Amino acid sequence: PPSAPGQIHQSPTLFSLTTTFTKGYQKSFIPLKLGMLDLGPVALIRFLVSAFLEQAAAVMPVCVFLAGFQSLVLGQPIDDGLSISLGLVLVMFGLTLFNFGLLYGLMPMGKTLGLGLPQALNTPNLMLVAGLLGVAVTLAEPALSVVKTAGSLIEEKQAPYLYTLLHQRQDLLVLAVAVGVGLSACLGMLRIIMQWSIKPVAVLLSMLTIVVSLYVSLFTDRSDLLGLAWDLGAVTTGPVTVPLVIALGVGVATVSGEEPSPLTGFGVVTLASLIPVNCVLLLGLFLPPFKAASAPSTSPLSSSSSGAPLHWTEQTPGSEMVGGVRALVPLVVIMNLLLRFVLREAGVVAAAQLKIDKHLVEAPATLALCAALSGIIVFNIGLAQGLARLGTLVGGVMPAAFTAVEKIQHAPIWGGRVGLCVALVFSWLLGFGATLAEPALSTLAITVEKLSSGALSRRLIVGSVGVGVGTGIALGVLKIVLGLPLLPFLVFGYLLCGLLTIPSSEVLANVAWDSAGVTTGPITVPLVISLGLGLGNALGISDGFGILSLASVCPIISVLIAGLVAQMR
């Protein structure tokens, strides 16, 4: 279980909460009073401050590193530093509220459904419900909000179909990603029921995704969608999707008459990071030709560009409020309907207990869900005003290290080759440091060390994943700087993954293919995507996507190599 109130771990094992069980299910109940208020304001303030500081410990080191690189290494001031700082505070506060609601509102409901649905439904209906939940939980992922801010730096003439998806078909794009996760949940349930090894599933699925990517790149004019599609595959494996789907998987394993294995939860991240890529690429194939898609009359931005006032739902904070309701309310409604009409639960949602100052306090689920809704709204505001702006700002200044940049004096600051090396070292350290600070990775490493009886040590897993993520981000930056296509990197990377998977043990294969997903949280994803877009915009390159996809494939390779070396010893 999470070690502190506001911290969410993406763990390959089922989360645990202190709850009351009745008739084999977790009893749903809405308390008549808010027991948390009985502790007094001092205890509540300490609890909230502790939860906020946990988010600050995850957010601030990466942000300080980015700001330090720009101000100290490149010697450039940070424009609108006060506004960006305020946005970062909103991000941390929003994550504090959202994680509280996730842990004490959504998670108990997910655990109830995970234990109850496999007993109440047959296999086809269970897979259908799993797919529906997969779609709903993806819409609630905080990191998916980066799609709304990613299109601001894309030029329509340079990348017409990319521009169309990010500006005119944004809702369809998000839905395609969500449908991909829903299909992943269905396939994940089937894999558990049929007891398939992750090795052939991962290799075949990755090869299928590469084939689809090759077709889009070589036989269509929509190759500008590749980077976006592969990056969005990494966005889906966040703190909402993974635990809820794992809960269903453990429930399915239990009902099938087998004791849930520690490996039961593995594979979710792998499937959820590959299938959405195919869905986004297929959506791109169905887009109308460029001329029809770029007609001025069809652009939703035409009203704003002509000077007409925007509707309140298109401005801050109205747009974030509408987006938060659209993201979270459908998930809560679907889960409540399943609890009420499928599991025949008496209440609407479940209540959990948390520990504050050595006291067990009942956390009303209504309060937790309201906190989650408020949190995702505040997070989205902070994302647009702080986190995404910081990444874009640093990415836009980074080329000054190795090439001439307009409005920056004395560029290149470090000279051509030396400056490029400085930028690549910075990128590698950013990925490596952000990975080591990820609490979910530590949880994964501890579990793997137990599963392998010490053969795959915690230090080995954490170090190899960190090296892989850092290498992936550095390669992504190099790809953008040199203007190289993304597909050769992916083809070589996943081909190497497949070759290394064949001689690997089942434990190592499961860990390696899922390892990248634990590092793609709501902080890393927006920063990395914004960094790439800012870098590409500064260099006049249309496609700044692809960094996140390389930061996903490289850890698979590094973990497989490190694990095989450890096994040979």
Side-chain angles (χ1 to χ4, degrees):
S3 57
Q7 188 166 306
I8 302 297
H9 290 313
Q10 286 175 218
S11 170
T13 57
L14 185 64
F15 50 85
S16 62
L17 292 170
T18 305
T19 49
T20 302
F21 287 81
T22 302
K23 296 181 180 179
Y25 301 134
Q26 184 181 6
K27 188 62 178 176
S28 298
F29 179 68
I30 298 180
L32 297 179
K33 64 177 182 179
L34 303 182
M36 294 180 66
L37 300 182
D38 297 334
L39 290 176
V42 176
L44 286 178
I45 291 174
R46 281 202 299 264
F47 171 75
L48 292 175
V49 169
S50 174
F52 179 82
L53 291 178
E54 288 173 9
Q55 301 306 322
V59 175
M60 292 311 298
V62 178
C63 295
V64 169
F65 182 71
L66 285 170
F69 174 76
Q70 176 166 329
S71 58
L72 299 178
V73 178
L74 299 182
Q76 301 300 313
I78 299 178
D79 299 331
D80 297 328
L82 182 61
S83 176
I84 292 176
S85 299
L86 180 60
L88 294 178
V89 172
L90 291 178
V91 165
M92 293 182 286
F93 184 63
L95 283 177
T96 300
L97 293 175
F98 181 78
N99 283 353
F100 174 81
L102 177 63
L103 186 58
Y104 300 113
L106 292 175
M107 289 305 185
M109 297 168 66
K111 186 174 182 179
T112 304
L113 294 173
L115 294 173
L117 286 177
Q119 302 180 46
L121 299 174
N122 56 30
T123 299
N125 288 332
L126 177 62
M127 294 179 63
L128 179 63
V129 170
L132 183 62
L133 284 174
V135 172
V137 297
T138 304
L139 297 178
E141 283 290 354
L144 198 58
S145 302
V146 73
V147 174
K148 300 178 181 179
T149 61
S152 60
L153 298 177
I154 302 298
E155 295 290 338
E156 184 177 15
K157 293 182 180 180
Q158 293 180 321
Y161 296 103
L162 186 60
Y163 180 91
T164 299
L165 277 185
L166 290 175
H167 286 266
Q168 302 173 11
R169 301 289 187 268
Q170 194 178 96
D171 290 340
L172 284 178
L173 176 62
V174 173
L175 183 60
V177 176
V179 169
V181 176
L183 294 175
S184 304
C186 293
L187 183 58
M189 297 305 105
L190 183 62
R191 188 180 78 86
I192 293 173
I193 294 172
M194 303 301 294
Q195 300 181 19
W196 292 338
S197 166
I198 190 61
K199 295 166 68 172
V201 174
V203 172
L204 291 177
L205 185 57
S206 61
M207 293 302 105
L208 172 64
T209 309
I210 290 294
V211 169
V212 175
S213 300
L214 284 170
Y215 174 80
V216 172
S217 178
L218 300 178
F219 300 103
T220 73
D221 58 348
R222 311 187 182 202
S223 58
D224 55 342
L225 300 178
L226 286 178
L228 173 66
W230 281 90
D231 277 2
L232 287 180
V235 175
T236 60
T237 54
V240 182
T241 305
V242 175
L244 291 179
V245 178
I246 287 175
L248 278 177
V250 174
V252 169
T254 303
V255 173
S256 64
E258 299 184 1
E259 187 70 21
S261 165
L263 292 177
T264 299
F266 284 99
V268 175
V269 173
T270 302
L271 300 177
S273 60
L274 289 174
I275 295 180
V277 177
N278 294 281
C279 292
V280 172
L281 292 176
L282 290 176
L283 172 64
L285 292 178
F286 285 100
L287 289 176
F290 171 52
K291 290 183 179 180
S294 60
S297 59
T298 63
S299 174
L301 302 177
S302 56
S303 60
S304 60
S305 60
S306 62
L310 293 173
H311 193 264
W312 70 271
T313 58
E314 299 175 323
Q315 305 179 59
T316 300
S319 61
E320 287 81 7
M321 293 174 63
V322 173
V325 171
R326 292 174 61 184
L328 199 60
V329 170
L331 172 62
V332 175
V333 169
I334 291 173
M335 296 176 78
N336 279 322
L337 290 176
L338 291 172
L339 285 168
R340 169 70 75 172
F341 296 106
V342 178
L343 300 188
R344 308 293 183 183
E345 287 289 280
V348 183
V349 290
Q353 292 179 345
L354 62 153
K355 195 172 184 179
I356 302 178
D357 287 353
K358 300 182 180 179
H359 297 286
L360 284 178
V361 182
E362 193 170 56
T366 48
L367 175 64
L369 293 175
C370 288
L373 179 59
S374 303
I376 198 170
I377 293 173
V378 174
F379 173 82
N380 287 340
I381 296 174
L383 173 65
Q385 302 299 321
L387 204 60
R389 286 179 63 190
L390 177 62
T392 303
L393 185 65
V394 176
V397 174
M398 186 189 298
F402 53 85
T403 188
V405 176
E406 188 179 356
K407 298 181 181 180
I408 297 181
Q409 296 181 352
H410 310 298
I413 298 172
W414 292 89
R417 294 182 179 179
V418 175
L420 180 58
C421 291
V422 169
L424 294 179
V425 170
F426 157 76
S427 304
W428 190 91
L429 290 175
L430 173 64
F432 184 78
T435 302
L436 295 186
E438 177 60 52
L441 180 58
S442 178
T443 304
L444 173 70
I446 293 173
T447 303
V448 172
E449 189 172 33
K450 294 178 181 178
L451 285 175
S452 62
S453 301
L456 302 174
S457 66
R458 174 182 176 182
R459 183 177 180 180
L460 174 71
I461 296 299
V462 172
S464 57
V465 173
V467 169
V469 173
T471 303
I473 292 181
L475 283 177
V477 169
L478 183 65
K479 175 197 84 73
I480 295 175
V481 171
L482 300 181
L484 301 175
L486 174 65
L487 195 54
F489 289 90
L490 295 174
V491 171
F492 176 78
Y494 279 100
L495 181 60
L496 185 56
C497 288
L499 294 175
L500 292 172
T501 299
I502 296 174
S504 301
S505 65
E506 188 68 21
V507 172
L508 177 59
N510 276 277
V511 173
W513 282 90
D514 274 11
S515 61
V518 300
T519 64
T520 51
I523 300 301
T524 308
V525 168
L527 272 178
V528 171
I529 288 183
S530 301
L531 181 73
L533 291 175
L535 177 62
N537 184 65
L539 295 174
I541 297 174
S542 60
D543 184 8
F545 290 101
I547 297 180
L548 207 58
S549 60
L550 294 178
S552 296
V553 65
C554 287
I556 303 175
I557 299 172
S558 61
V559 173
L560 286 172
I561 292 176
L564 288 173
V565 172
Q567 288 178 358
M568 288 188 294
R569 291 179 179 176

